[in-house]
Structure formats: structure tokens, C-alpha cells
Amino acid sequence: MPRPAYRQREDLPPAAARRGIPPARRSVTPMTQTLVLIGHGMVGHRFLETLAERGALADPAAPGGPGWRVTVLAEEDRPAYDRVHLSSAFTGATDAELTLCDDDFLARHGIDLRLSDPAEHIDTAARTVATTSGATVPYDALVIATGSYPFVPPIPGADAPGCFTYRTLYDVETLSAYASEEGRTTGVVIGGGLLGLEAAGALRTLGLRTHVVEFAPRLMPLQVDDGGAAALRATIESMGVSVHTGVGASRVDADDEGAVRALCLSDGRTLDVDVVVFSAGVRPRDRLAREAGLVVGDRGGIVVDAHCRTTDPYVYAIGECAQGADGRVYGLVAPGYQMAEAAADALAGDGTAVFTGADTSTKLKLMGADVASFGDPFAPEGAEGGAVSVVFSDSREGVYKKLLLGPEGQLLGGILVGDAEAYGTLVPHAGRPLPAPPQAYVLPASDIELPGADALPDDAVVCSCHNVTKGAVRTAVAENSLTDIGGIKRCTKAGTGCGGCLATLQSVLDAELAAAGVERPKGLCEHFALTRAEIYETVRTERIRSFTELMTKHGLGGEGCAVCKPVVGNVLGTLAPELGLGHVLDGEQAALQDSNDLFLANLQKDGTYSVVPRVPGGEITPAQLIAIGEVARDFDLYTKITGGQRIDLSGARADQLPAIWRRLVAVGLESGHAYGKSLRTVKSCVGAKFCRFGQGDSVRLAIDLELRYRGLRTPHKIKGGVSGCLRECAEARGKDIGVIATANGWNLYVCGNGGARPRHADLLAADLSTTELLSLVDRFLMYYLRTGERLERTAPWFERIGGLDHLKSVLIDDSLGICAELEAQMDRHAAAYRDEWQAVLEDPQALARFEQHLAQPSPEFLEPGRGRAAVLPDGTEAALFKDGAGRVYAVGNRDPFSGADVIAHGILGTRGGRTVVASPMHKQEFDLRTGECLDDPSVVLPVHEV
């Protein structure tokens, strides 16, 4: 086969030239060329996806045509999978749910994936790769993406049975099998960094008592400082994990059969353990490059230039095996993706994308604790010209926040532990002065108004998943006349990843439309010109009993969408006692419900659900505790005591939910409505029952409040808190409804919120009796319910309607003459309440909705607007839908963004005249006729014949 022609470019970075890397070249692809990729991990697969997006892969249906024909040599026995969420395998995530690559992708692009046949030797002179099976594979270009391997300290006994590393699905499987053997009770993780703490969480999930040993004086020494590590340690130790810092492992002792029985520490102590997991860092897998004569860094890593090209012009290296042009080896996925895109860009014949370094900002949840660091979190302080720190610390709650400011007031970096909500707001400002006082970003509540997206410069990255700047969003809005977030997603990909930037994107969009004099329609969506509050009032006054009736009388056409259907379902659920409606899953109501309400449980990232029973006031009986424990054991569920005084059971399949509920209901437990836009919990301290400072029975009042308002569907979720005295142990002023006992009764505070923009609640009335308090809360909640907009929490609602003076006028002075009506409506709600779990268990038709698959799908099984999962004759899993006209659609059931089989549970609707389904995960919409994702056209669901 002819070798590709190359022409020289003169834009080689000087640093690369000094390291002996030849000038960059651009390939001219007049015919099919052979590309070999060594390694099929996350970075390797991202490289393949980028080549496909660039149109650089050869068409398998046109032999000899232009483009790259790819052979992938993979060490593992399975295609690329999501290592970032590896720990979810311990809670039941399957290979299929974690995979990043499907057979359709490989077949569509003619990619030859050879599993369990890794590269053994590279011959750069002959341009061939020899594999362990004995095959010799020629290449015109070679990409090395071998990643890294876990470092195991050279201590005696490190190879004994019971010692593991934590890097692959094979590691997960062998560790799980070993830990489940009889007699295994205790495990230890050597390493207290990111992976070490994730491994510790895995051991806890496996039911082992867990230790963490970290040689550094603190946990996560590369990400957090002493204060952040102390907060993190307190949180982890509160979960029963023993932490040992400033000490190393010196020896693994074995029992008579040679298996692990103890770990000896460098300070002379011995830990009696059955399992040892090494997570003490990683090393680049660069052996192939070393033996092939490629230049490797002094501390490991294949040396590459800004195009990720090695010292051989035909060989590239990407990911954790490579040392970038900045001389660093990155152990994070995001920099690896950027390297993959730079290499793919060069091989696609463009070469404009380069990798010269990456932001190592990270935000993650470790064992239930939020941890984030960004910028330079360890900038030197104190010296002349040094950094100045702004710190907030709350050891009770395990919260630590630190911002570092430069001499000109610029934000240098920060550390957030326990509460990382401000991360998305702060990261775009790194290197720039903050547009508001720094304390506004770290204090739990502040009267300082935080600036919006207009304070961000155009080069600020607003979507870190796809590296999209504010300027790129503004340009897309102007050039494409965009008026909604969906358009921004289509044009820029911003918001199509984790979704954490959506609020910022909306702010940028609103500012651009306002500047252009474009008035956004006030209506809910393209199907209604009414707002959420207007829909509520219309349904209430006209006594409308269904979505179809509302659409017929007041809609703009179409079948609704993932915006208006849940809103109308929420309104109908709230007004059910007024309208004489039944269960939220009765009839057409079921097709309106959002992701969580559809199965009365919280949808998790792997497609399973969590069950959260109500525990008013945190009071629970021994029988109920035993039942919860037995359910968790029998259904293999992850359990967690939540911050709202409840117990969360996670990892249940939809078809298991009724059986779980039946056992919980039998001991007097009921739905905690953790899944709905409704009252979650009313937190309480022990109050006058036990506390020597208590002035009121906060537990009793918390129970009364939670039982009165349970099941009330509101514009957004709401929470309450009752403190027995001014010491505020229940943090009532951070809640939507906050009550604090006084010597003369109860003080009522309203519209406090946690979250991204925390706000202290305002005092609405003081020294109330219990009866007066309940009446005033009735009025407050019903007024919010009537006038709140879609997904509007009480804090912004409070500001929009006119603040405290307005609320006092309406709710205390009765300026609108509606107080008696509001109280009566709440009385009817409380009297009509019925546990939603119990109602499903008593209704055979409702129970049938929880069946997962139809082995022999048929259109008569389908309800209009409601999807069903099905196994087709060829074994393919599909999602079936029937629209209002009776047309039936079948698409793949796997959500391509999360990997979970959940598309059948999405909301059927229309968008711009196209029949679509919105994924339950992050609401990306797919055309049911073509499978195309309207928010990211590069993603397509398979479409099946009906």
C-alpha cells in the first residue's frame, strides 16, 4: 500500500523543537490508509468518535475510498467503558450500562476491534505492531492510548491473595467476589487520594469495615489543603471509615493459607484486615514506546508535541501514557479527551486543534461528600505580593470553602468541601477579579446579590464538558437567531454533558435577547402561551381535568413536551382534591409525569431507582428499622442516612419497586415524596424533649408540619426546619419554611434556600401559637402554589412578587381577601391525602405499569403518550411509543449520553412539528422517526421497523 504523502508545516512550538520532535505534518488522504489504535479506554474511544465527527474514517461500503481504516488492539475483553463511574459497578451497574461503544458504531465505521489481543511490540522502521496472539498489523499512522497502571508499593506480601488494585472492571469483579466470601469483614485502602477514597466507598458498599491509609499528613493532598482535608476527614469518619494519615504501609501479613490477615503500618501499628486495595497513584504505561525507541520523559510518559505526535512522525500518544507539550502527565479524563481531539484533528487533515496544557479543576462526590478544587488552590499566602485567602468553615456540617485572591484582587483558585454549589460560578472567573465580594461566594447565606452571567467575559468557559465559552454562546445566539436553550445545545453542544451549566446558559441567553430587544414569549413552551401560574388558575377555575382538555381549550397545538406535560401533571396532582381526580398514575396522568414521578422513586444515573420512605421528625420504630435493613439486604440496595433525617435505599429496578413498597408499607412506612416537586422533609433538633436549652417541642411540630403538607405538589421542591431555640440546630433559616421556638411561641421564617444561591429566610411573623402558625403556613404554601412559576423556588419567587411587605399584606392583612380560601384548600388537601405507594399496591392496572419489558411487543399493549420497553425478536431492546394519532415508533432504549436503558420512560411530545421523546436522564430530545438527537445531531438512536 502506498505510504501517505506529507507536507511540512512551520508552526512547530519551540518547546517541542527543543525536545527533538520533528515538525508537525498534515496528512493528505487520497486513498484509504491504515490507522492502528493501541488501547480502547475512554480516551482511545473519544479519539475514534472525534475522527468520526470529522468525517475522517473510511466508508466500509466504499473500499479504497478516502479516509482511515482503523484497527484497535485492546487488552481487556470488553470495549471501552466508563472508568469515571467504575464504582457504580459495585451497586449493580452492568457492562452494558457502563459501555461507551456499541456494535453499531464499530460497524458503521468499519472499525476492527480486537479484544484481548494487546500490542506486544512496535516496529517503527517497518511500521508494524505485533500482538500477543502473534498477529502483525501494519500501519500508516499509529496512536498509543495505553493509559496508566496502578502503583503498588514494593512491600513484603503485596502479592498475597486478598491484595487488589482498583482500575478496571476485572478488578471490580475479582474484588467483589473475594470480599463476598464468608469471613471477610474488614478492608483497607492504601492511598487517600481521589481513587483511594472512591475505593474506600466501594469497600463500604461491599459491606466491609473500612480503613484508609495515606502517607501524606492529610487526605487528597493534591487537591485540598489542611482545612479542606479536615472537613473531608470528619465527613468520612462519620460514615464509620477509619482514617490513618501521616503513615505508610510496611508489610502485608498472611494467614496459614497465605491469604491476607493484617496490614502492618510504618508506625508499628497493625490493622487486622482481610482485603487490601492499593490505590497509591498511577504510572504511565509507556513500555511499548520505550522499547520502540520513542523519547520518554524522565519520570515516565511518552513525549509528544502540541499535536500529540511523538518523536516518530507516524506515531501519536494520548491520555495518561503521554507527557504533553507542557511537560506534564495528566491523570484526569478531560485532558485526555482534549489530547484525543488534537490527535484526531491532525490525522483528519486539519491540525488546528492543539494540546498545550489543561485545566485540572475537579468537582466530584466522594462517599457522599462534595469536593472541588480549581485554579491554583495552593497559591503561596502571606508574603509580599502573595495570595490573600477568604475562608468559611463549619465543622458541624463538614463544610470548608476557601478562595485565594491575588494582589490585584484576581481569583487565583479555591477549595470547596462539603458544599461545592458555587463551583460552576467560580471556575469561569479564575484568573480574573470577582464581580462581587468574595464572601458572597463562600458564606452559607448572604444579602449580597451575586452578579449574573453578564459579569463573565467572553473568553470565560461556561460549559467545561465541551469547553464552550460565553463568547461562543453569544455568537451562536446572534448568528442563528436562537431563542431557547435547545438551540444553544444544537449549535454549540453546551449543556449536553452533565447539564450543570444550564442556568448560566439561560442567563447568557436572556441577556443577549434583552440586548437585542427580543421579547421572549412568556408562555411555558411552544404548546402554551400561558405561564405555569396562569395554567394553575385556568385549571382551578375552569375545573379542567386532563391535559387533553387543557390543550383543546387553551393550547397552541401539538402533543405537548417535556416542559409542559410535567407542569400540567404537577398542577393536576395538586388540585386533585378540588377536581375529584385519582392517583397521579391514573389514565392519561401517567403520561405526564416526569422522570421521578413516573415510578414514584428517584431515577439514578444507572437507570435504577432509590426509595426514600417518610420518617417524620426522624422518629422511627425498631420494626421499621429492621424492615428497611431486610429490604436493603434482600434487594442488594445501597443505604445512606440522608441529611433530611431519612434512610435512602438506592439501586432498585423499576419492576422491584412494588415488592419493596409492600414490605415497607406493612410496617407503617409510606412514600417520602423524595421524587416529586413537593415537600421533602421537615428537619428538627431534639428540642424541649431532651435539650437543656429547648424552648419548644420541635420534634412534635416538625412531625405535624410534615404530615399536614405531605404530598402537596408545588412549583419546586420545598423543605422545612424546626429549631427548639435560637441556637438553630435544625438550620431552619435555610429552609423554605423555617420555625424557631421562643419563650412566647414560634417565629415563622419563609423563603430560605440552600443550593447555588443560598438565602436566609425572612421573619414573617413572631411569637405564634401552634394553631396560628399552621394557619399562616397554610396560606403561605397555597399562595406560593398558585403564583409560583415552573421550577421557581421560594427564594426567587419571594423577590419576584415583591418581598416581605407583599407577603405580609396578602397573608397577614388579607389584602386580597383570599386567606380563608387558602386555608380551606389546604384543609381539603390534608383530608384527601393518600399514600401513593399504597395506592399503586391496591391497583392492578397501576401495578402493571411497573413491568419492565414485553417479550412479544404489540401495538395494542401501548397507551398513547406512554412508552414501553420491549425485547425484539432479534434480542434488541427497544423503546416503543404510540402518539395521539395512533402511529407507533420503535427506537433503541439506551440513552446514548448516560448508557442507561431508560428511553422508554421518556416523555413523548412534539418539537417544531417533529414527534420526539425526551430522555428521562437529562431531557435531550430525539426524533422518533429518524433517531436524531435534536440537542446534539451527532448522536443518533437506532430506529427499528414497526
Side-chain angles (χ1 to χ4, degrees):
M1 175 180 295
R3 297 299 181 193
Y6 297 101
R7 58 187 175 90
Q8 299 296 320
R9 290 175 56 187
E10 303 303 326
D11 56 351
L12 178 70
R18 290 195 298 270
R19 295 154 79 206
I21 297 177
R25 82 287 184 280
R26 176 177 299 176
S27 65
V28 179
T29 55
M31 60 187 64
T32 302
Q33 300 175 92
T34 300
L35 173 67
V36 173
L37 170 64
I38 301 177
H40 195 224
M42 296 181 71
V43 171
H45 188 65
R46 179 59 189 151
F47 167 76
L48 296 176
E49 289 180 327
T50 307
L51 279 180
E53 292 167 5
R54 301 286 196 276
L57 295 178
D59 183 353
W68 293 100
R69 184 179 68 244
V70 181
T71 298
V72 183
L73 305 177
E75 182 175 38
E76 295 190 62
D77 60 356
R78 60 199 95 195
Y81 54 85
D82 186 355
R83 295 182 195 272
V84 172
H85 297 103
L86 188 63
S87 59
S88 64
F90 289 102
T91 56
T94 64
D95 285 12
E97 292 165 339
L98 288 171
T99 188
L100 300 174
C101 177
D102 56 36
D103 292 340
D104 180 65
F105 176 83
L106 299 172
R108 190 164 66 249
H109 299 293
I111 297 172
D112 178 13
L113 173 59
R114 303 185 185 183
L115 299 175
S116 301
D117 193 16
E120 186 62 34
H121 176 71
I122 299 171
D123 186 336
T124 56
R127 293 184 197 151
T128 60
V129 180
T131 72
T132 55
S133 68
T136 299
V137 185
Y139 66 82
D140 295 310
L142 173 68
V143 177
I144 304 173
T146 46
S148 60
Y149 64 89
F151 170 69
V152 177
I155 60 174
D159 57 350
C163 290
F164 299 89
T165 56
Y166 179 64
R167 194 70 176 160
T168 67
L169 274 174
Y170 175 78
D171 294 334
V172 170
E173 292 163 356
T174 54
L175 174 58
S176 299
Y178 189 86
S180 65
E181 293 179 6
E182 188 175 355
R184 315 288 186 209
T185 62
T186 309
V188 60
V189 177
I190 299 176
L194 293 174
L195 287 177
L197 295 184
E198 185 177 326
L203 292 185
R204 289 183 69 250
T205 301
L206 293 173
L208 301 180
R209 293 193 299 272
T210 303
H211 297 265
V212 173
V213 174
E214 168 57 49
F215 184 75
R218 63 175 185 264
L219 295 173
M220 293 185 66
L222 300 181
Q223 285 80 28
V224 302
D225 61 3
D226 290 342
L232 179 61
R233 178 172 185 156
T235 299
I236 291 174
E237 288 183 330
S238 71
M239 300 177 185
V241 175
S242 299
V243 177
H244 314 269
T245 55
V247 64
S250 62
R251 186 178 72 251
V252 176
D253 285 346
D255 59 19
D256 293 341
E257 297 179 356
V260 169
R261 68 172 180 84
L263 177 69
C264 299
L265 303 181
S266 59
D267 62 2
R269 287 180 295 153
T270 298
L271 304 178
D272 294 329
V273 297
D274 311 297
V275 175
V276 176
V277 178
F278 293 102
S279 187
V282 295
R283 301 291 186 271
R285 299 187 67 187
D286 53 20
R287 177 188 65 84
L288 289 171
R290 288 178 186 274
E291 294 177 355
L294 302 177
V295 174
V296 174
D298 293 339
R299 302 184 64 181
I302 308 166
V303 172
V304 298
D305 66 6
H307 301 280
C308 295
R309 191 167 46 93
T310 71
T311 46
D312 183 299
Y314 297 94
V315 182
Y316 293 73
I318 56 177
E320 294 179 338
C321 67
Q323 182 187 109
D326 59 349
R328 297 182 60 183
V329 175
Y330 291 88
L332 299 172
V333 170
Y337 280 0
Q338 294 175 36
M339 297 175 84
E341 290 166 4
D345 210 41
L347 289 165
D350 188 346
T352 56
V354 295
F355 179 82
T356 57
D359 179 11
T360 56
S361 299
T362 55
K363 177 178 180 289
L364 61 160
K365 188 179 288 289
L366 293 169
M367 299 174 64
D370 286 323
V371 181
S373 66
F374 61 91
D376 182 0
F378 302 112
E381 301 179 54
E384 184 177 350
V388 176
S389 62
V390 178
V391 178
F392 170 79
S393 179
D394 183 351
S395 58
R396 295 178 310 163
E397 296 296 323
V399 173
Y400 176 86
K401 305 178 188 179
K402 178 179 181 179
L403 303 182
L404 289 161
L405 307 175
E408 303 300 324
Q410 70 272 29
L411 178 63
L412 301 178
I415 296 168
L416 307 170
V417 176
D419 177 6
E421 289 286 351
Y423 176 82
T425 303
L426 289 167
V427 169
H429 289 293
R432 304 180 175 89
L434 287 170
Q439 61 268 27
Y441 297 90
V442 298
L443 293 177
S446 174
D447 294 330
I448 301 173
E449 179 72 17
L450 288 176
D454 55 337
L456 291 172
D458 278 352
D459 62 347
V461 175
V462 293
C463 173
S464 57
C465 292
H466 293 285
N467 201 34
V468 181
T469 64
K470 175 188 172 182
V473 174
R474 293 184 60 213
T475 299
V477 171
E479 292 183 351
N480 299 281
S481 301
L482 304 180
T483 59
D484 60 13
I485 293 295
I488 293 175
K489 289 180 176 180
R490 286 193 302 276
C491 294
T492 68
K493 285 196 174 181
T496 61
C498 70
C501 62
L502 291 177
T504 302
L505 294 178
Q506 186 66 60
S507 298
V508 174
L509 175 64
D510 292 344
E512 288 303 297
L513 295 179
V518 178
E519 183 176 352
R520 293 184 65 212
K522 69 171 186 175
L524 201 59
C525 62
E526 66 180 79
H527 304 101
F528 288 98
L530 304 174
T531 66
R532 185 262 172 204
E534 290 169 339
I535 285 177
Y536 177 91
E537 197 60 25
T538 300
V539 171
R540 186 180 72 86
T541 56
E542 297 184 17
R543 301 189 64 78
I544 291 174
R545 295 170 53 85
S546 70
F547 180 85
T548 298
E549 183 183 355
L550 180 67
M551 178 64 82
T552 300
K553 292 182 177 180
H554 300 281
L556 302 176
E559 294 200 20
C561 64
V563 172
C564 60
K565 281 188 170 182
V567 167
V568 176
N570 175 283
V571 168
L572 292 173
T574 293
L575 290 171
E578 315 293 313
L579 303 174
L581 298 176
H583 194 274
V584 293
L585 298 184
D586 282 352
E588 187 190 71
Q589 277 266 74
L592 308 180
Q593 303 308 319
D594 209 345
S595 309
N596 292 339
D597 301 78
L598 183 62
F599 288 107
L600 310 180
N602 298 57
L603 178 64
Q604 304 299 312
K605 65 182 180 181
D606 60 354
T608 62
Y609 291 83
S610 65
V611 176
V612 187
R614 187 176 302 286
V615 184
E619 289 190 345
I620 191 166
T621 68
Q624 290 170 337
L625 277 173
I626 291 170
I628 289 174
E630 290 178 339
V631 165
R633 178 197 64 202
D634 295 347
F635 290 89
D636 194 23
L637 305 179
Y638 168 76
T639 56
K640 182 184 185 301
I641 297 177
T642 73
Q645 303 177 151
R646 307 199 285 194
I647 300 176
D648 187 346
L649 307 172
S650 296
R653 300 192 312 271
D655 59 304
Q656 294 175 323
L657 293 174
I660 292 171
W661 297 341
R662 187 170 284 109
R663 292 171 60 170
L664 298 178
V665 167
V667 294
L669 293 168
E670 63 177 33
S671 166
H673 285 95
Y675 47 83
K677 298 294 183 284
S678 55
L679 176 70
R680 298 298 176 88
T681 64
V682 180
K683 187 177 180 180
S684 69
C685 63
V686 296
K689 268 189 175 181
F690 295 101
C691 181
R692 67 185 187 278
F693 301 112
Q695 294 183 325
D697 189 349
S698 57
V699 177
R700 181 67 262 165
L701 181 61
I703 293 172
D704 291 343
L705 289 170
E706 188 162 339
L707 294 182
R708 180 163 179 79
Y709 305 121
R710 59 187 170 177
L712 183 70
R713 281 175 160 75
T714 46
H716 207 300
K717 64 183 178 183
I718 56 174
K719 298 178 182 180
V722 183
S723 289
C725 73
L726 292 176
R727 285 170 175 79
E728 254 284 70
C729 291
E731 301 167 319
R733 289 198 63 193
K735 304 294 191 293
D736 303 275
I737 308 163
V739 183
I740 300 176
T742 71
N744 300 313
W746 304 102
N747 285 355
L748 174 60
Y749 296 83
V750 295
C751 301
N753 276 162
R757 296 185 63 185
R759 180 186 186 278
H760 264 150
D762 282 81
L763 179 64
L764 183 61
D767 296 332
L768 301 169
S769 69
T770 301
T771 300
E772 292 170 333
L773 173 76
L774 291 173
S775 295
L776 193 50
V777 176
D778 285 355
R779 300 174 189 178
F780 166 75
L781 287 177
M782 276 299 170
Y783 188 55
Y784 166 57
L785 195 148
R786 288 188 176 191
T787 59
E789 291 300 343
R790 172 182 176 261
L791 300 182
E792 184 178 40
R793 299 198 67 171
T794 58
W797 170 76
F798 175 86
E799 296 167 359
R800 179 176 63 80
I801 64 173
L804 192 61
D805 289 342
H806 176 79
L807 278 185
K808 286 183 175 180
S809 170
V810 173
L811 304 182
I812 297 177
D813 301 334
D814 200 12
S815 60
L816 300 180
I818 60 173
C819 285
E821 182 183 328
L822 296 176
E823 291 181 37
Q825 188 176 351
M826 188 63 80
D827 284 337
R828 289 192 291 273
H829 162 78
Y833 173 78
R834 187 182 179 204
D835 176 33
E836 291 174 355
W837 290 352
Q838 180 71 53
V840 169
L841 296 176
E842 296 173 356
D843 183 349
Q845 185 175 357
L847 277 173
R849 299 182 186 278
F850 290 80
E851 296 175 3
Q852 283 293 78
H853 301 290
L854 297 172
Q856 296 178 332
S858 181
E860 59 264 25
F861 283 96
L862 299 176
E863 306 168 52
R866 168 97 182 199
R868 292 297 297 266
V871 179
L872 301 179
D874 63 356
T876 303
E877 187 166 326
L880 305 183
F881 296 92
K882 181 189 290 185
D883 65 17
R887 289 183 291 266
V888 178
Y889 306 87
V891 296
N893 195 33
R894 172 153 301 166
D895 173 46
F897 295 96
S898 69
D901 293 320
V902 295
I903 295 297
H905 304 156
I907 295 177
L908 181 73
T910 53
R911 178 167 155 184
R914 304 167 77 172
T915 303
V916 300
V917 60
S919 169
M921 281 295 178
H922 300 295
K923 302 300 184 291
Q924 289 97 344
E925 291 183 317
F926 298 88
D927 188 321
L928 285 174
R929 292 166 299 179
T930 66
E932 177 188 356
C933 177
L934 274 61
D935 301 308
D936 185 353
S938 67
V939 177
V940 181
L941 287 177
V943 177
H944 303 287
E945 292 286 341
V946 178

